[in-house]
Amino acid sequence: MARIKASTPTHNAAAATGTNEATIPSIEAVSQSTEKTDLLRWRLLDERGRQTWHYLESDKEMEEWPQTTAERWYLGLDTNQPILPLAKSVMQSAENGFTFFEKLQLAPGNWGCEYGGPMFLLPGYVIVCYVTNTPIPKAHSIEIKRYLYNRQHPVDGGWGLHIEGHTSVFGTAMNYVAMRLLGASEDDPRLIKARATLHKLGGAIAGPHWAKFWLSVLGVMEWDACNPVPPELWLLPDWAPIAPWRWWIHMRQVYVPMSYVYSKRFIHPLTPLTRQLRDELYTQPYDTIDWAANRNTIASTDNYHPKTWILKFLFWLVVTVWNPFLKPAFLKKRAEDWTFDLVRREDENTDFADLGPVNKVMNMLVRFIEEGEDSYAVQRHRERNEDFLWVSKEGMMMNGTNGVQTWDTSFAILAAVEAGFTDGKWKPMLLRALEFLEDQQFRENVKEQNICYRQQRKGAWGFSTKAQGYTVCDCTSEALKSVLLLQRIPGYPTLISDQRIEDAIDTLLTMQNTGGGFSSYEPQRGSEYMEYLNAAEVFGRIMVEYDYPECTTSTVTALSMFSKYYPDYRTDEIKKVIDGALQYIRRAQREDGSWYGSWGICFTYAGMFALESLASIGETYPNSERVRRGCQFFLDRQMPDGGWGESYRSCETGVYTPHEKSQVVQTAWVCIALMEAEYPKKEPLEKALTMIMGRQQLNGEWLQEAIEGVFNKSCMISYPNYKFYFPVKALGMFEKRFGNLELL
């Protein structure tokens, strides 16, 4: 197979529209109608995992703060890395891959990540900055516009729910508004095309609930068009089956500030620009629209999870009976006070980082309404907004969380250990990674966690940083495995004590669901029938936690590894938890041998984890019919070039959908799955790894291919570091089983 040569990434030809504002130093006009910043002036500051981008305006600043290889790689610039020895054997390929990946490690020991994909995050940030009088730095504004132009649909000019999705009203209306608020002209041909597409889809009135909420806040839609978000639900007793504390954490943490703002009916005062947007977003004059009649209007492009008749009836009751006739003023105030208190506690427990970017900017709006733009809370929110912004070769995006720091660092360690890269030149990298995990472990529970409805977290790890403050069971499990393995290798220090490791186990044991599986942030608290009340429309499986093969496997393998090293700690309880978890894994397998994945695409991702679960208790290809079915599911879908490729459409439809091209990451996942399962034949693996090695660049890296992750069935999200550590892990596993064969 021909080796692909190293190349310098190029930028998309589309870039951001210029404005009439004064320029800042080193903003270069790319053409008469587009502009971009000087990418050589961007720097990433990583403070114990908190990552913020800064634009240097003077040459002196550039001299004092040189640009690193990692920063150049994130920005799509030439990294100037040397051509490495040609990798003919699997271990030379693995070594080349980690040689490049090691250069991307940041000072605290973690790796940075362009955790983009969703296209509804930036507009919320831009709208909140606009209504709270928060200036967006010029360099930020230019790069946000450039990113949004780069992500326009090449044919119809619209935007989708995520970067690979079809055009939707949600994506198009929200991003069009964001562009206009940032100074883009309505006469720009690209916005003219976007506006025409929006009108073809029915105009902004055909958007989903979240779009209507944001447009109502901005004052370019009337609140009557928005289905109710009553904060009074938060006054229900905790035993109530639909009490919001039972909802999935992301859903309820968005609902808290959203319900407060809805109850206040906050509207930003009209400006000349928003008055103009009222004319641009709709297919008929603003004053002639029957807003209340359009509460349930939604374009087919956006209606992934249609509202049930039950939910529509409840909305009708709230709008026509409860709000105008039955709701007493004192109850309204009590509900607003309680939801504000929950917002305040969320801000304090996360140092204003908050759970994610959606509730982050909504919380900022709540604090602005309640306390004013000069309050400490609003000022701190402004600072923390930077944690979610990320600059790439395409411009500035908003990440899906404040990073992927702990998750990526854990998997990097596990891949290094699997490949045997733990001594010599690799040791400094792994020592820094271990130090990072030590620093990021939660040492105490959340203050007043029961009042905040928070899960126990002492001893656990989160997805991103300690400051963000939320434990996730698979993040805890993968970090724990990394620590257990690395601290037992001679020459590595014991940074995390036995007591702290036992604390992690104690927390994991609180997170199992009654059905045996594990969810993400906390055990399932409410019935899955709650999905009948899903009002988001664009997402599925969003109302409560669910059992996930991925999270269950991470936890099972962590508990099994812990018991190997600590056989006397809570032995019976751990055995019972593992037995229950594996019963769930077996039940979750489909007739065709597959497992459905919820956090990666899709059957490929879940199958890797599920087969690892079964292998951890000795259930493998030679002795298990279900494992053989799982392997055959993959073997039947191997592509002619030896790889595997699965489309994100699998997540949406629940049916395996092949990608038009094999993918390096997904091929690595299948190789890992087959080797965990002890599939006996090496030929399919050789063919697959030959494809992976053939796509490796001469400097050791692999290039970005299709998007890798997903959440809530319909929204895709990027994990760009997967293309480094999963191939290296697969190559290392192959070498252990079959030897260091030359495949190229």
Side-chain angles (χ1 to χ4, degrees):
M1 180 177 291
R3 179 60 61 101
I4 300 174
K5 65 180 181 180
S7 61
T8 302
T10 58
H11 298 288
N12 192 310
T17 297
T19 71
N20 293 324
E21 301 173 43
T23 59
I24 61 175
S26 302
I27 299 295
E28 61 171 301
V30 178
S31 71
Q32 191 172 9
S33 61
T34 60
E35 61 182 347
K36 61 182 287 188
T37 62
D38 180 357
L39 296 182
L40 294 173
R41 292 180 177 271
W42 285 101
R43 301 293 186 272
L44 179 66
L45 180 64
D46 190 330
E47 302 167 290
R48 297 181 64 186
R50 184 196 178 205
Q51 299 167 347
T52 54
W53 283 94
H54 302 265
Y55 191 75
L56 307 185
E57 300 188 10
S58 71
D59 292 343
K60 182 178 180 182
E61 289 176 303
M62 292 178 68
E63 292 176 9
E64 294 174 348
W65 190 351
Q67 199 169 51
T68 65
T69 297
E71 290 160 346
R72 296 180 67 85
W73 187 74
Y74 300 139
L75 295 166
L77 302 173
D78 192 342
T79 59
N80 299 313
Q81 292 303 298
I83 292 177
L84 299 173
L86 185 64
K88 295 183 178 180
S89 69
V90 292
M91 289 311 293
Q92 185 63 62
S93 177
E95 182 171 347
N96 286 359
F98 250 41
T99 296
F100 187 88
F101 188 52
E102 185 268 340
K103 301 295 191 303
L104 306 183
Q105 188 179 31
L106 303 175
N110 62 292
W111 279 263
C113 180
E114 176 188 315
Y115 194 46
M119 290 303 298
F120 56 88
L121 303 178
L122 274 174
Y125 163 73
V126 173
I127 289 171
V128 166
C129 287
Y130 188 82
V131 303
T132 61
N133 304 313
T134 300
I136 297 178
K138 178 69 176 182
H140 285 46
S141 176
I142 287 173
E143 289 300 332
I144 291 172
K145 285 186 290 183
R146 190 166 71 89
Y147 179 77
L148 294 181
Y149 278 134
N150 278 330
R151 285 304 180 181
Q152 272 190 288
H153 191 282
V155 177
D156 63 35
W159 291 270
L161 181 66
H162 58 87
I163 58 176
E164 293 190 9
H166 62 265
T167 293
S168 66
V169 175
F170 190 18
T172 303
M174 294 291 287
N175 287 292
Y176 180 90
V177 166
M179 295 294 284
R180 295 287 282 115
L181 296 180
L182 291 168
S185 169
E186 75 276 20
D187 295 324
D188 185 293
R190 291 163 293 189
L191 290 196
I192 292 173
K193 180 182 282 190
R195 194 162 61 244
T197 293
L198 177 61
H199 290 178
K200 287 178 184 177
L201 295 174
I205 197 65
H209 178 75
W210 283 19
K212 290 175 177 175
F213 169 83
W214 281 123
L215 297 179
S216 298
V217 165
L218 185 60
V220 298
M221 183 177 284
E222 297 299 312
W223 277 108
D224 286 346
C226 199
N227 271 311
V229 194
E232 295 82 33
L233 275 180
W234 279 101
L235 302 180
L236 288 172
D238 285 351
W239 54 260
I242 64 169
W245 76 275
R246 299 181 182 276
W247 302 355
W248 184 49
I249 184 68
H250 278 278
M251 185 63 181
R252 71 174 186 262
Q253 291 297 60
V254 167
Y255 186 86
V256 171
M258 183 182 280
S259 65
Y260 173 94
V261 176
Y262 170 83
S263 187
K264 290 288 189 181
R265 296 297 200 280
F266 173 84
I267 302 173
H268 181 65
L270 272 177
T271 66
L273 177 55
T274 56
R275 197 179 298 275
Q276 191 172 346
L277 281 170
R278 286 183 169 189
D279 294 331
E280 297 172 17
L281 294 173
Y282 305 100
T283 59
Q284 66 186 89
Y286 187 87
D287 293 336
T288 68
I289 299 174
D290 185 345
W291 301 101
N294 283 283
R295 281 191 297 105
N296 293 311
T297 299
I298 182 169
S300 60
T301 54
D302 294 63
N303 203 16
Y304 177 74
H305 190 284
K307 293 185 290 294
T308 62
W309 70 265
I310 297 173
L311 183 61
K312 290 180 181 179
F313 176 68
L314 292 174
F315 282 156
W316 179 86
L317 281 178
V318 172
V319 169
T320 61
V321 180
W322 173 252
N323 282 347
F325 301 115
L326 299 181
K327 182 170 64 176
F330 82 89
L331 198 66
K332 176 178 182 292
K333 184 178 187 309
R334 184 180 167 198
E336 290 173 356
D337 288 347
W338 178 230
T339 51
F340 174 75
D341 193 52
L342 289 173
V343 166
R344 178 187 60 80
R345 291 172 186 273
E346 162 77 350
D347 288 345
E348 291 177 357
N349 284 329
T350 62
D351 190 18
F352 294 85
D354 296 324
L355 175 63
V358 178
N359 81 307
K360 167 75 179 70
V361 293
M362 287 186 182
N363 280 14
M364 178 176 169
L365 177 59
V366 168
R367 304 303 289 264
F368 171 82
I369 295 169
E370 188 77 18
E371 300 167 275
E373 66 177 281
D374 295 326
S375 65
Y376 169 79
V378 172
Q379 296 292 346
R380 187 66 177 131
H381 267 296
R382 287 169 174 156
E383 295 169 0
R384 279 296 202 180
N385 284 340
E386 298 293 323
D387 298 21
F388 294 88
L389 300 174
W390 187 268
V391 189
S392 75
K393 64 178 180 291
E394 296 172 320
M396 178 175 277
M397 70 194 73
M398 200 166 203
N399 276 345
T401 62
N402 64 331
V404 193
Q405 296 87 322
T406 297
W407 183 250
D408 275 337
T409 302
S410 300
F411 275 110
I413 292 173
L414 292 172
V417 172
E418 189 68 57
F421 297 158
T422 57
D423 55 8
K425 67 178 182 178
W426 308 112
K427 190 171 182 180
M429 174 187 75
L430 293 179
L431 282 173
R432 290 195 299 271
L434 179 61
E435 289 167 355
F436 179 78
L437 291 184
E438 188 279 329
D439 184 54
Q440 297 300 312
Q441 187 185 25
F442 300 127
R443 306 295 295 277
E444 68 286 313
N445 289 318
V446 171
K447 180 182 177 182
E448 299 180 312
Q449 72 177 35
N450 292 332
I451 296 177
C452 305
Y453 305 108
R454 289 285 298 274
Q455 173 67 24
Q456 175 181 321
R457 71 175 190 184
K458 184 179 180 182
W461 281 269
F463 182 68
S464 57
T465 63
K466 185 177 182 179
Q468 189 258 6
Y470 280 86
T471 182
V472 190
C473 74
D474 54 351
C475 301
T476 296
S477 298
E478 301 298 344
L480 180 61
K481 289 192 292 185
S482 301
V483 170
L484 288 172
L485 289 172
L486 211 51
Q487 289 192 163
R488 276 160 179 76
I489 295 175
Y492 282 85
T494 302
L495 300 183
I496 298 178
S497 67
D498 289 349
Q499 180 59 59
R500 289 169 62 182
I501 288 172
E502 290 170 359
D503 288 342
I505 295 298
D506 292 343
T507 290
L508 283 176
L509 293 177
T510 70
M511 300 183 75
Q512 188 171 33
N513 293 323
T514 56
F518 283 78
S519 303
S520 52
Y521 293 87
E522 56 204 13
Q524 189 180 78
R525 296 176 173 184
S527 168
E528 294 179 13
Y529 287 112
M530 203 96 74
E531 215 63 54
Y532 284 105
L533 304 181
N534 178 356
E537 298 151 324
V538 295
F539 304 116
R541 286 165 57 101
I542 195 174
M543 289 300 295
V544 296
E545 285 275 18
Y546 289 84
D547 293 322
Y548 303 117
E550 308 98 301
C551 298
T552 303
T553 293
S554 292
T555 309
V556 163
T557 52
L559 292 173
S560 298
M561 184 181 293
F562 171 82
S563 293
K564 175 183 175 182
Y565 296 125
Y566 299 84
D568 299 324
Y569 188 78
R570 303 186 68 171
T571 308
D572 293 339
E573 295 166 85
I574 290 173
K575 183 180 184 304
K576 183 178 179 181
V577 166
I578 291 175
D579 289 344
L582 288 167
Q583 289 176 22
Y584 156 71
I585 290 290
R586 296 184 184 105
R587 288 197 311 272
Q589 189 179 27
R590 298 187 175 190
E591 285 297 319
D592 63 5
S594 68
W595 286 266
Y596 177 84
S598 296
W599 302 105
I601 299 172
C602 169
F603 296 95
T604 312
Y605 188 67
M608 172 183 68
F609 280 96
L611 290 173
E612 183 184 6
S613 263
L614 296 172
S616 71
I617 57 151
E619 193 169 333
T620 59
Y621 191 93
N623 61 26
S624 170
E625 186 272 338
R626 77 174 61 255
V627 172
R628 288 192 289 273
R629 283 194 292 120
C631 292
Q632 195 61 46
F633 175 84
F634 286 135
L635 294 169
D636 289 344
R637 288 157 180 81
Q638 190 169 23
M639 302 177 85
D641 68 355
W644 281 266
E646 184 179 4
S647 166
Y648 74 82
R649 293 285 294 162
S650 296
C651 306
E652 296 177 336
T653 64
V655 177
Y656 184 93
T657 306
H659 198 281
E660 60 187 13
K661 181 182 177 182
S662 61
Q663 304 291 307
V664 164
V665 171
Q666 292 173 349
T667 301
W669 289 344
V670 177
C671 289
I672 292 168
L674 293 174
M675 287 185 282
E676 288 284 2
E678 298 182 9
Y679 178 72
K681 298 179 181 179
K682 68 179 179 180
E683 289 77 18
L685 296 166
E686 283 184 332
K687 194 174 180 183
L689 292 177
T690 299
M691 184 279 286
I692 288 176
M693 293 171 61
R695 291 194 193 169
Q696 190 174 29
Q697 306 298 291
L698 295 179
N699 60 7
E701 71 172 314
W702 284 275
L703 301 181
Q704 185 64 31
E705 297 178 336
I707 202 163
E708 304 90 352
V710 62
F711 60 90
N712 301 123
K713 298 185 72 173
S714 60
C715 194
M716 308 306 128
I717 197 161
S718 301
Y719 288 85
N721 289 325
Y722 278 6
K723 63 180 173 285
F724 291 106
Y725 47 71
F726 280 119
V728 168
K729 179 177 180 178
L731 291 163
M733 291 177 70
F734 182 90
E735 189 273 338
K736 285 182 178 178
R737 289 197 62 196
F738 301 109
N740 189 21
L741 302 184
E742 290 191 357
L743 300 183
L744 290 180

